[in-house]
Amino acid sequence: MTGDSRSETTHDIDGGSPGRPGSPAQSTGPAEGTGPAEGTGPAEGTGPAEGTGPAEGTGPAEGTGDAAGRAAAGAVPPPSLDVAGVAYAYPDGHQALFGVDLTVPRGERVALLGPNGAGKTTLVLHLNGILTAGAGSVTVAGLPVAPGNLAEIRRRVGIVFQDPDDQLFMPTVREDVAFGPATAGLRGAELASRVHDALAQVGMEAHADRPPHHLSFGQRRRVAVATVLAMQPEILVLDEPSSNLDPASRRELADILRRLDVTVLMVTHDLPYALQLCPRSVVLSDGVIVADGATQELLCDEELLAAHRLELPFGFDPGSVRVPQR
């Protein structure tokens, strides 16, 4: 889900910080201006960084915030996600995050692990501006999460909820998948193509005209993923994607996620699923990133798992698993 307003109902679709700061940063909630001000990242028009100079034939100079210009210059693109020193306290005074740092390069699949109450949901709600950090900053593909950028940020950050029924509400699958792009202004053949492509990516194009409530739970979860893919996001955020799925549906969803050409952040308690899908994992505990590394190595660290209430299924040995490379 991309955070767009859902007022229309019909559309034409025929065609890790190691410790906590000494004093927690307080936040008054997502009021305008409490987060990082626009332009705190590479602001437009700031000119080239000192001593770099514009490369021959590159077009826009580095530092203008123009991703196309950076790509033409042969520069490394900005990461899909850059979280820097994010701290957040809820209005009741509960401090949920204490200076979180997390960078996810483009194309990576990363698992976000941690016990209940660790701050995982709070962190995710910062990625598309639902919550505003009391301190620190979040950027998505070089664009700061700031009030003036929220429409584009919410296109770039697609969140798939744990319960697909929270995400599907239209009479047919086709209309559900079309809702986001249509709200963004797409119509006719372009909208129809976007919907078809998103459904094809999850293997649900044959079900386009069925009511979502007639589908199995696993099928509904795949359609929920398609509603986000239709917005062509920069990063796909999955909240407990394996929950309530039978073994066949788990495998089918894993196969789909491996094929997607998109950055993935997967929030999960399902440690074997994290090992199956994500080469890298980070562990968030008590509002702090306490570990960041290869998933297999982290899951083999019994002391780490025990210290942060993470448990493997009985008899499961992560060290004996042959981990897929992609």
Side-chain angles (χ1 to χ4, degrees):
M1 190 173 197
T2 56
D4 295 309
S5 170
R6 299 200 166 200
S7 57
E8 299 182 33
T9 58
T10 60
H11 308 290
D12 174 14
I13 57 173
D14 292 339
S17 174
R20 304 182 182 181
S23 57
Q26 298 295 318
S27 170
T28 58
E32 279 195 21
T34 59
E38 287 186 35
T40 56
E44 290 192 6
T46 57
E50 185 176 340
T52 58
E56 285 186 21
T58 60
E62 289 187 350
T64 63
D66 187 331
R70 286 194 298 270
V76 176
S80 290
L81 180 64
D82 188 15
V83 178
V86 166
Y88 182 79
Y90 284 96
D92 65 2
H94 171 68
Q95 187 83 22
L97 300 176
F98 295 84
V100 172
D101 297 301
L102 174 63
T103 299
V104 181
R106 214 166 262 184
E108 272 199 0
R109 289 195 307 270
V110 178
L112 179 60
L113 311 176
N116 288 336
K120 301 186 299 296
T121 298
T122 301
L123 177 59
V124 166
L125 294 178
H126 280 77
L127 305 187
N128 65 0
I130 293 175
L131 295 179
T132 301
S137 65
V138 179
T139 59
V140 179
L143 184 67
V145 177
N149 298 333
L150 290 185
E152 174 61 12
I153 287 293
R154 289 169 182 173
R155 183 199 68 78
R156 295 186 184 190
V157 180
I159 300 177
V160 181
F161 299 149
Q162 181 173 350
D163 186 347
D165 295 333
D166 290 339
Q167 208 147 357
L168 306 175
F169 53 86
M170 298 294 280
T172 68
V173 166
R174 187 190 309 276
E175 290 170 283
D176 259 320
V177 177
F179 187 93
T183 302
L186 267 64
R187 295 292 185 271
E190 187 178 4
L191 177 58
S193 176
R194 185 77 70 86
V195 171
H196 177 272
D197 290 348
L199 286 172
Q201 288 183 83
V202 299
M204 291 297 292
E205 63 269 39
H207 302 272
D209 295 314
R210 294 187 65 189
H213 64 275
H214 287 180
L215 303 176
S216 71
F217 189 88
Q219 289 173 324
R220 295 201 302 276
R221 175 150 294 161
R222 286 153 65 181
V223 172
V225 172
T227 66
V228 171
L229 294 178
M231 296 299 291
Q232 298 181 339
E234 170 73 23
I235 182 168
L236 183 64
V237 181
L238 301 159
D239 185 10
E240 299 289 354
S242 63
S243 65
N244 298 316
L245 295 183
D246 60 40
S249 296
R250 281 168 56 94
R251 176 187 51 76
E252 290 166 353
L253 181 60
D255 291 343
I256 288 166
L257 294 175
R258 280 201 203 93
R259 291 195 300 265
L260 295 179
D261 184 21
V262 66
T263 306
V264 172
L265 181 66
M266 186 172 81
V267 182
T268 186
H269 289 95
D270 187 340
L271 303 186
Y273 211 56
L275 180 61
Q276 183 178 354
L277 277 171
C278 300
R280 175 187 169 203
S281 289
V282 296
V283 178
L284 183 68
S285 185
D286 290 330
V288 178
I289 298 288
V290 295
D292 182 342
T295 302
Q296 191 164 38
E297 292 179 9
L298 295 186
L299 298 192
C300 289
D301 188 336
E302 295 182 3
E303 290 186 5
L304 174 71
L305 299 186
H308 302 288
R309 298 182 58 81
L310 297 172
E311 294 196 10
L312 293 162
F314 178 76
F316 181 80
D317 178 10
S320 67
V321 176
R322 182 178 178 181
V323 181
Q325 295 302 306
R326 276 296 299 167

